[in-house]
Amino acid sequence: MQRIIIAFFTSLGVLLGGVLVGSLASAFTQQSPIKLMFKLAKDIKLWAIATAIGGTFSNLRVLEGGFMEGKISLVAKQLLVLISAFLGAQLAIWLITILTGGK
């Protein structure tokens, strides 16, 4: 349960932090900060999820080993962590959308 919560908040923080700090570039590039925030949120989402689960290759090996060795509980735990990271990233995108006035 602890790893699921950590994955959720890590992906949430990576996405929110990346978008907020990345939108500062709009001051130098003469772009709209809100448009840049939406673009960055879409671009960073996958990286936030990968960061939250601790890298892609180690988790894919665990999933592969779980399937090959018949350890369904291990596969289920990894899938829950992945879903939790995805939900954290989705919440961050939702918060950005709400705070910037929607699309």
Side-chain angles (χ1 to χ4, degrees):
M1 187 66 177
Q2 185 179 22
R3 188 164 178 220
I4 292 171
I5 294 170
I6 290 171
F8 177 84
F9 284 103
T10 301
S11 66
L12 177 74
V14 167
L15 199 72
L16 285 178
V19 167
L20 291 176
V21 173
S23 68
L24 294 176
S26 65
F28 302 110
T29 60
Q30 304 296 325
Q31 293 181 359
S32 167
I34 296 188
K35 287 182 183 178
L36 187 59
M37 287 176 111
F38 285 128
K39 181 183 179 311
L40 287 174
K42 290 178 184 176
D43 293 344
I44 296 175
K45 182 179 178 182
L46 182 61
W47 291 106
I49 294 169
T51 301
I53 62 173
T56 56
F57 293 116
S58 62
N59 287 307
L60 290 177
R61 286 187 188 136
V62 169
L63 284 173
E64 177 190 21
F67 279 125
M68 296 300 178
E69 297 172 9
K71 297 180 181 177
I72 302 301
S73 64
L74 186 62
V75 172
K77 288 178 188 177
Q78 286 299 111
L79 288 176
L80 284 175
V81 170
L82 184 64
I83 290 169
S84 174
F86 175 77
L87 290 175
Q90 277 300 116
L91 177 61
I93 289 176
W94 181 76
L95 287 173
I96 291 165
T97 303
I98 296 298
L99 293 175
T100 58
K103 289 186 178 181

